[in-house]
Amino acid sequence: MAVKEVYTICGMCTSRCPAMAGVEDGKIKYLRGNPHVPAMASGLCARGVAGKALVEDPDRPRTPMIRQGARGEGQWRAVTWDEALDYVADRLKTLFEKHGPRTLSLSDRGGPFRDLRRAFLRGIGTPNYCNHDASCARNIHHAALSLTGLGRKGVSYDFRHARHVVLQFRNIFESINVVEVSNLMAAMEQGCKLTVIDIRANVSAAKADNFFMVRPGADYAFNLAVIHELIHQRLYDAPYVERYFKDFDQLERFIKPYSPEWAAAETGVDPERLRAFVRELAEAAPAVIWHPGWMAARYRTSFYVCRSTYIINALLGTYGAKGGLPLVNKPGDLGRKGLKKFMDLYPAPEEKRADGVGWRYPHFEKGPGLGHLLYKAMETDDPYPVKAYIAYRHDPLMGYPDPDRLKKIFDRLDLLISVTFSWSETAWYSDVVLPLSPYLERESIIATKNALKPYFFLRQRAVEPRYDTRADWQIIGGLAKRLGLPELDYERIEDIWRFQLDGTGVTPEDFEATGMVQLAPAAVYRDRDALKFKTPSGKIEIIDEKLEKLDIASLAPYAPPQRPPQGAFRLTFGRCAYHTQGHTVNNPLLNKVMCENCLWIHTSVAKKLGIGEKDMVKVAQNGYSGVICAKVTDGIHPEAVFMCHGFGHCLPPESRANGCGLADNRFMKDGIDIWDPAGGAVAYQEHFVTVTKALETDLQ
Ligand SMILES: Nc1nc2c(c(=O)[nH]1)N[C@H]1C(S)=C(S)[C@@H](COP(=O)(O)OP(=O)(O)OC[C@H]3O[C@@H](n4cnc5c(=O)[nH]c(N)nc54)[C@H](O)[C@@H]3O)O[C@H]1N2
Ligand SMILES: Nc1nc2c(c(=O)[nH]1)N[C@H]1C(S)=C(S)[C@@H](COP(=O)(O)OP(=O)(O)OC[C@H]3O[C@@H](n4cnc5c(=O)[nH]c(N)nc54)[C@H](O)[C@@H]3O)O[C@H]1N2
Ligand code: SF4
Ligand SMILES: [Mo]
């Protein structure tokens, strides 16, 4: 039988690279990048290729399940889809009668395929939708909004044409988006410089021209010194600042004390090296990208670090510049009509959000809310009882701090549902598991990629589900039908696509040739001399009146991070190239490449503690401890230890990952109370652990 090639979108992480599956005899033969995307010449990353193993893995949930014993006990009753969906709908109806529809909450992983489930929530009449972003990029997004009114995704990173890229808490060569990596590598071959600012020598640092190891939590001091130097030495783009900045004089006054010499005491960075670096940046400007980070939910003050990175970009004139941060185009910007939204079928609920976003906290953007504050509402019934929760493509027991506290909170729920394609700590603790087909076994609704060259894309079904799992649109449709929203229930995905494409001039058949539909023939750069920012003044606003009114400073003075208590280390974490968060560690292929995490610790402190390379060490905090293998290295700041996130699963059905490695979030006691009041995100790195050489008794 001939191999059939099907366009899909990789679902192994949220970078969602356009991909292609070779299918023979109803089975995946191979996976590769979509050949119609030029930057994808290098194909998929290791995780992307392991999508085939995900499909074939019998360890994943294979039928709908309803809990039998106590939560987390693991006694399940396999049921039919009708039984599972009837059960959920009946329980929800009872809860709605008692508490109103606002008692239902749902959190997901964000992304471009959400329209149907958000429409479902609106149709039900609950405002309580959260995405994961309070645990990821919320500080960056709020910082971006506060300076320019353009959200985090309002600009593109034009790596391909950059002359200097700065990565600060951004490990692009391990925390991967293939298109970005390919473009950056192509630029570096053309002479683009790379600077990495990190607390450890990661793979990106190994490829960098400049590497600055900073004290954990002192990035703001580094950035203030850079701003100082740009302004003091008049290295900034003066005509650009003249044209676009509002309140530049206030920045000039504010920055005076923050010289490179001052910063050195905080960051440990030599002032002359910093000066030379700033000169290099000014020479390359405006084709410079100072990356504001991706996962910046780290400190109580991360918002200000992110805001300072955007200020640096603005001083260098990178907004709107080729090779810098050009503004992305939405279909409407190019005279095209965007997709019709299911969400627009219903009015936005008038009810206040349970997490307080938009009313108790008016400076945060309403749409995706803040997950940790939703959990606090569940814990206290303030402002009202939230008794039902759907974790939709979300594993808060792995992705939010302190799972023991979260479990106690979830115990207050009357209904906890997981929609997932793999087992997760949250799914295991749920009342109902609705198993999603892995991405190669399902199709998606159509999505838009806003970009220099925007496009519509969709995911085709490559193979039929091998178990009793379903696609998102079928699961949401099944629930919607039972809860009085038949307009969201479709028999055929093509009809959903037709609804979305109505009026766009595009048909579902147009996706057949390349898997996507381009909305412009080439990249469109807006005129850098005629930019309009989305702030009240239309300019880059150094002073954000909305924050000032709430007594939140726009330019916050530097406050040094807490030093680790005697004998303790700041716990830092990040990603590795072989795994995605917590959901690939049991993948048959990826588990073979990396089956557990280890603890990075600096050589000097390890020596004092009698710890050698590959020794087993005990990590402890607040009465919880676990054992892990040590990686002793000069490549980490001595105040910190580091572990890769996503390990330490305790899930009996996961034959490979169960019990391997440690989960970083277990060492973050009461972490949902520790968050950034200006940016909104959880401050995951405000926790300290002790490390000792493991004893025989610890290993048992
Ligand atoms: N392979 C892989 N790729 C992924 C993902 C994945 O799970 N696996 N996940 C995707 C997602 S959801 C995200 S959010 C992105 C995350 O992308 P990144 O944010 O780039 O990834 P991280 O590895 O979390 O963190 C980046 C770096 O921050 C450093 N760091 C920690 N603390 C500090 C500090 O105080 N100061 C400085 N300067 N650096 C610090 C860490 O050492 C790490 O090298 O990756 C995406 N891509
Ligand atoms: N301690 C600590 N906490 C962290 C981080 C950290 O590094 N350390 N990283 C943070 C970051 S950057 C992020 S983005 C979050 C991520 O947090 P999550 O979004 O919770 O992480 P994932 O593991 O990507 O996905 C969660 C679940 O969704 C399922 N899933 C994956 N793809 C799909 C899909 O397409 N549809 C559906 N329905 N389910 C799917 C997976 O099987 C998994 O069980 O965690 C954050 N929390
Ligand atoms: S970065 Fe890798 S895992 Fe993520 S979507 Fe792209 S190919 Fe898939
Ligand atoms: Mo993330």
Side-chain angles (χ1 to χ4, degrees):
M1 199 187 249
V3 174
K4 188 173 118 210
E5 295 197 311
V6 185
Y7 296 111
T8 177
I9 302 294
C10 180
M12 294 299 282
C13 89
T14 42
S15 294
R16 298 187 189 84
C17 298
M20 180 186 257
V23 179
E24 191 181 41
D25 204 11
K27 294 205 177 73
I28 306 285
K29 293 300 284 183
Y30 58 83
L31 294 168
R32 55 176 295 201
N34 181 329
H36 301 286
V37 182
M40 288 292 301
S42 52
L44 304 175
C45 81
R47 296 165 299 145
V49 175
K52 178 169 161 12
L54 166 68
V55 171
E56 291 161 5
D57 185 4
D59 282 1
R60 62 188 166 92
R62 287 175 289 180
T63 70
M65 275 166 282
I66 297 178
R67 174 171 68 81
Q68 292 300 95
R71 279 207 175 113
E73 215 176 58
Q75 290 187 41
W76 298 103
R77 181 162 62 90
V79 294
T80 63
W81 275 99
D82 274 339
E83 193 176 347
L85 295 173
D86 285 345
Y87 178 86
V88 171
D90 289 346
R91 297 285 303 271
L92 284 178
K93 279 184 204 155
T94 312
L95 290 171
F96 294 168
E97 269 163 32
K98 196 161 163 204
H99 304 289
R102 66 185 185 180
T103 205
L104 172 64
S105 57
L106 179 148
S107 67
D108 70 10
R109 184 51 193 284
F113 300 124
R114 289 176 291 174
D115 184 25
L116 262 183
R117 57 184 177 266
R118 293 197 68 186
F120 168 73
L121 293 176
R122 271 201 181 179
I124 295 283
T126 175
N128 292 318
Y129 164 76
C130 284
N131 75 16
H132 75 297
D133 212 36
S135 67
C136 182
R138 216 53 332 221
N139 291 330
I140 307 170
H141 183 65
H142 282 141
L145 283 177
S146 129
L147 194 72
T148 60
L150 302 169
R152 179 171 80 95
K153 295 188 176 164
V155 292
S156 155
Y157 303 121
D158 193 7
F159 289 113
R160 184 68 190 80
H161 303 104
R163 295 184 56 215
H164 199 137
V165 169
V166 183
L167 301 176
Q168 185 174 32
F169 47 91
R170 174 76 184 97
N171 182 10
I172 200 168
F173 290 116
E174 290 178 275
S175 304
I176 299 169
N177 171 317
V178 172
V179 177
E180 287 190 358
V181 170
S182 311
N183 282 331
L184 177 57
M185 284 183 14
M188 286 169 72
E189 273 170 28
Q190 304 292 313
C192 170
K193 285 203 168 161
L194 179 66
T195 294
V196 170
I197 305 162
D198 208 288
I199 50 106
R200 88 197 152 103
N202 55 25
V203 169
S204 305
K207 295 187 185 296
D209 300 275
N210 303 314
F211 170 50
F212 294 103
M213 190 188 285
V214 289
R215 179 190 307 285
D219 289 85
Y220 191 41
F222 186 97
N223 294 5
L224 290 178
V226 170
I227 297 176
H228 180 281
E229 201 55 14
L230 283 171
I231 294 182
H232 195 70
Q233 304 291 346
R234 307 246 158 244
L235 291 170
Y236 62 93
D237 185 334
Y240 187 92
V241 166
E242 175 72 20
R243 179 186 298 224
Y244 289 124
F245 272 52
K246 185 166 169 291
D247 308 317
F248 179 66
D249 50 331
Q250 300 217 36
L251 179 64
E252 257 182 319
R253 270 200 303 281
F254 165 80
I255 209 68
K256 280 214 169 91
Y258 299 115
S259 66
E261 279 70 22
W262 164 83
E266 290 298 325
T267 59
V269 171
D270 171 19
E272 288 314 318
R273 275 195 72 210
L274 186 137
R275 286 206 165 87
F277 160 58
V278 176
R279 280 196 298 277
E280 283 177 19
L281 284 184
E283 276 160 26
V288 171
I289 299 169
W290 187 307
H291 203 291
W294 189 344
M295 198 293 178
R298 296 194 189 264
Y299 299 93
R300 281 194 187 88
T301 51
S302 285
F303 171 82
Y304 291 107
V305 183
C306 301
R307 202 165 189 272
S308 65
T309 63
Y310 283 119
I311 291 177
I312 295 170
N313 277 301
L315 287 168
L316 292 166
T318 70
Y319 276 99
K322 190 166 185 181
L325 304 179
L327 274 53
V328 300
N329 301 304
K330 294 182 176 164
D333 297 323
L334 304 176
R336 300 288 302 248
K337 195 161 179 300
L339 296 174
K340 189 160 122 191
K341 287 186 182 160
F342 285 101
M343 257 176 94
D344 291 340
L345 292 175
Y346 313 99
E350 281 166 17
E351 202 70 65
K352 284 178 179 169
R353 296 182 56 95
D355 58 11
V357 171
W359 58 281
R360 195 176 272 162
Y361 307 106
H363 58 305
F364 299 139
E365 192 190 54
K366 261 196 217 164
L370 293 173
H372 53 296
L373 300 185
L374 172 69
Y375 303 138
K376 287 175 73 118
M378 289 175 186
E379 189 172 44
T380 55
D381 288 350
D382 173 21
Y384 49 76
V386 175
K387 291 293 177 191
Y389 176 36
I390 305 178
Y392 198 109
R393 197 229 141 134
H394 195 195
D395 184 7
L397 290 179
M398 173 65 53
Y400 274 96
D402 197 350
D404 289 342
R405 163 116 171 246
L406 271 188
K407 281 183 185 170
K408 283 200 190 104
I409 293 175
F410 292 164
D411 285 341
R412 296 175 51 84
L413 293 168
D414 288 322
L415 187 61
L416 173 58
I417 299 159
S418 275
V419 183
T420 178
F421 60 63
S422 64
W423 278 110
S424 67
E425 303 293 327
T426 308
W428 194 246
Y429 207 70
S430 297
D431 304 320
V432 182
V433 175
L434 301 178
L436 182 78
S437 303
Y439 68 99
L440 290 161
E441 296 183 343
R442 70 177 194 261
E443 51 292 274
S444 72
I445 61 174
I446 301 174
T448 309
K449 175 77 182 167
N450 297 324
L452 292 174
K453 190 179 167 197
Y455 54 92
F456 293 147
F457 63 105
L458 55 75
R459 179 183 275 139
Q460 314 262 11
R461 186 182 291 225
V463 290
E464 288 306 312
R466 61 170 60 195
Y467 303 120
D468 192 13
T469 59
R470 284 192 179 172
D472 302 82
W473 60 274
Q474 295 172 306
I475 297 175
I476 292 294
L479 283 176
K481 180 172 76 177
R482 288 168 172 80
L483 289 163
L485 304 169
E487 61 279 10
L488 297 181
D489 183 34
Y490 281 80
E491 282 291 314
R492 292 158 19 99
I493 187 75
E494 289 77 8
D495 295 331
I496 293 183
W497 292 341
R498 279 184 213 291
F499 172 96
Q500 294 183 282
L501 290 172
D502 185 29
T504 61
V506 176
T507 67
E509 292 71 33
D510 294 339
F511 290 83
E512 281 167 16
T514 64
M516 54 188 92
V517 173
Q518 302 290 347
L519 302 177
V524 178
Y525 291 87
R526 315 254 195 106
D527 181 357
R528 181 167 166 267
D529 293 331
L531 298 175
K532 185 121 181 59
F533 294 96
K534 291 198 173 153
T535 51
S537 63
K539 296 193 167 199
I540 294 170
E541 294 193 347
I542 293 296
I543 302 299
D544 176 344
E545 293 300 338
K546 196 169 162 197
L547 292 185
E548 301 282 328
K549 270 196 202 119
L550 296 164
D551 263 345
I552 300 173
S554 311
L555 295 170
Y558 179 74
Q562 189 190 337
R563 290 287 159 92
Q566 184 69 27
F569 302 90
R570 188 181 289 276
L571 178 60
T572 68
F573 55 78
R575 272 129 276 282
C576 63
Y578 304 120
H579 286 292
T580 303
Q581 315 293 6
H583 78 255
T584 57
V585 291
N586 195 55
N587 180 291
L589 278 179
L590 297 173
N591 184 273
K592 264 194 210 144
V593 185
M594 179 173 173
C595 65
E596 61 188 357
N597 52 358
C598 62
L599 189 82
W600 290 44
I601 184 164
H602 192 268
T603 318
S604 62
V605 290
K607 198 168 165 205
K608 275 192 208 140
L609 294 167
I611 294 167
E613 175 70 359
K614 295 221 159 71
D615 277 353
M616 296 308 284
V617 293
K618 180 171 155 182
V619 185
Q621 191 219 44
N622 280 311
Y624 176 78
S625 66
V627 173
I628 187 173
C629 180
K631 172 183 163 102
V632 177
T633 167
D634 288 341
I636 181 163
H637 195 281
E639 279 186 13
V641 289
F642 172 93
M643 63 173 81
C644 182
H645 173 61
F647 290 85
H649 284 207
C650 301
L651 297 168
E654 290 192 334
S655 58
R656 306 162 208 104
N658 188 14
C660 296
L662 289 185
D664 54 350
N665 66 336
R666 302 277 335 229
F667 301 94
M668 299 176 182
K669 178 102 176 93
D670 288 326
I672 60 167
D673 298 333
I674 302 174
W675 51 284
D676 182 330
V682 174
Y684 287 83
Q685 284 191 185
E686 301 282 12
H687 296 272
F688 300 93
V689 294
T690 56
V691 180
T692 47
K693 193 165 171 168
L695 305 172
E696 277 299 313
T697 45
D698 297 322
L699 297 172
Q700 279 150 18

